[in-house]
Amino acid sequence: MATATAPGKVILVGEHAVVYGRPAIAAPVWQCVATAVVQASTPGSGISISAVDIGRRFSLQEADADEPLGVVVRLAMAHLGVQEPPDLHIELYSDIPIAGGLGSGAALSTALVRALFAYFGRIAEPAVVSAIVYESERFYHGAPSGIDNTVIAFGQPIWFIKGKAAEPFWPGAPLTLVIADSGVRSPTKETVGAVRHLWEQETARCEAIFDAIAGLAQEARQAMEQGDWRRLGQIFDANQTLLEALSVSSPTLERLIEGARRAGALGAKLSGGGRGGNIIALVEPERVEGVSAALKEAGAQRILVTRIERRSHSPLLR
Ligand code: PMV
């Protein structure tokens, strides 16, 4: 039997612009995880997959060719060079909200690939896992930038530019984020499509917004490496304004963001595709309770608090 987990993720700066080649920064969120358990099953039974949290249970042989989890298993098996279809039962669990901008799909796929590698006694290098998950994400997301699968596979904050090797890095001091779920589900494919539509209508304006976001991402990396949380908070706020200009914010998200700022957050923004999903607020540790209470008051459905700090090794390697 083999078990593996993968974290959720947040984008700190640069969502959407990253699809157009600009840099972005993302970090894992270990307070919500996906888990995969792979075990041998009765001879001749083939591969069965059960994902209770998303209500899916199927046998790989009978699954449609584009069944997302089936695609992941087939890609991983091909990579592992497993010829004969083995008899396996795979259980998947996740407490990462679906379509909430926390990378639920990529996390499930990552846990699945890592558990399959472990089952067959192979080391799951982050770059290899990330490439397999990206291949599967392309199947049902169109053309994602690849930031989700990359940050989740590395389990560490990353500086990311589409098509280039990710640069994992650590902040200069621990940083605390309060993550609040609006409860509104918003598929990334739709918001990415909306930005594409806007870009086709108003290319020059959108390109200028993407450039401004790229500048913020550069500054954010510096602020993170220096532990300058006041500056990073201002960058969150400026990035939020630019995301509003790209039409991916919403009154519900803005109510949460305003609530967090009024309660003393250093800055706050939507994270991920937008129009729903989660917002992130950068807070000093002593303000976590006050900001969380304000977010609840403003309608947050679920609150997570995460601390991003240097570790001697990624929890993925435990
Ligand atoms: O999966 P989400 O909702 O965190 O969004 C991913 C970030 C986008 O930049 C909006 C899309 C992408 O492919 O990078």
Side-chain angles (χ1 to χ4, degrees):
M1 185 168 109
T3 303
T5 58
K9 71 102 215 337
V10 285
I11 296 179
L12 275 70
V13 185
E15 50 274 271
H16 289 291
V18 71
V19 175
Y20 297 80
R22 273 48 166 211
I25 297 173
V29 177
W30 288 98
Q31 284 66 26
C32 54
V33 293
T35 304
V37 182
V38 176
Q39 52 196 323
S41 67
T42 40
S45 60
I47 298 179
S48 58
I49 301 175
S50 159
V52 280
D53 303 301
I54 52 172
R56 267 194 241 152
R57 204 188 164 87
F58 59 92
S59 107
L60 189 64
Q61 284 82 343
E62 287 156 20
D64 291 342
D66 60 355
E67 155 53 60
L69 293 169
V71 171
V72 178
V73 174
R74 288 195 190 94
L75 286 167
M77 292 296 186
H79 193 92
L80 288 163
V82 177
Q83 306 285 352
E84 285 289 302
D87 300 309
L88 297 175
H89 180 62
I90 302 171
E91 298 263 359
L92 296 166
Y93 309 92
S94 173
D95 59 2
I96 308 172
I98 296 164
L102 294 183
S104 58
L108 261 189
S109 302
T110 304
L112 175 51
V113 172
R114 294 185 61 240
L116 284 168
F117 270 62
Y119 185 86
F120 288 100
R122 295 271 291 275
I123 306 240
E125 296 289 349
V128 171
V129 175
S130 177
I132 294 173
V133 174
Y134 181 71
E135 211 38 51
S136 71
E137 293 258 295
R138 273 198 341 173
F139 231 80
Y140 49 105
H141 278 327
S145 65
I147 192 168
D148 278 24
N149 50 281
T150 307
V151 66
I152 290 169
F154 279 85
Q156 187 181 339
I158 56 162
W159 169 261
F160 180 85
I161 300 173
K162 186 175 159 182
K164 295 199 178 157
E167 290 177 35
F169 73 101
W170 292 112
L175 89 104
T176 307
L177 295 178
V178 178
I179 304 167
D181 192 343
S182 65
V184 178
R185 304 280 70 103
S186 172
T188 303
K189 202 172 183 169
E190 285 172 23
T191 54
V192 168
V195 172
R196 172 68 55 182
H197 184 71
L198 191 68
W199 179 81
E200 280 163 1
Q201 308 290 310
E202 302 177 50
T203 310
R205 187 170 80 89
C206 287
E207 286 290 330
I209 294 173
F210 298 151
D211 284 342
I213 293 175
L216 290 176
Q218 291 279 0
E219 277 192 64
R221 179 164 179 179
Q222 244 178 27
M224 285 180 77
E225 285 172 344
Q226 292 164 357
D228 185 350
W229 304 144
R230 201 152 289 284
R231 180 68 197 125
L232 188 64
Q234 292 165 349
I235 293 168
F236 277 19
D237 289 346
N239 194 170
Q240 170 61 24
T241 303
L242 294 166
L243 288 162
E244 288 168 18
L246 288 175
S247 83
V248 292
S249 187
S250 76
T252 307
L253 293 174
E254 284 157 31
R255 202 171 321 122
L256 294 175
I257 289 164
E258 266 314 304
R261 288 176 185 158
R262 269 204 302 273
L266 295 168
K269 63 181 279 289
L270 70 85
S271 180
R275 292 197 179 165
N278 282 265
I279 68 109
I280 55 173
L282 180 64
V283 294
E284 288 151 325
E286 60 275 18
R287 301 229 184 218
V288 165
E289 254 175 58
V291 170
S292 301
L295 283 163
K296 276 248 148 73
E297 181 82 357
Q301 302 292 303
R302 184 185 183 194
I303 307 248
L304 294 171
V305 179
T306 194
R307 220 166 110 99
I308 303 170
E309 62 189 325
R310 177 178 291 276
R311 295 172 191 248
S312 53
H313 59 77
S314 158
L316 282 172
L317 303 175
R318 257 192 311 227

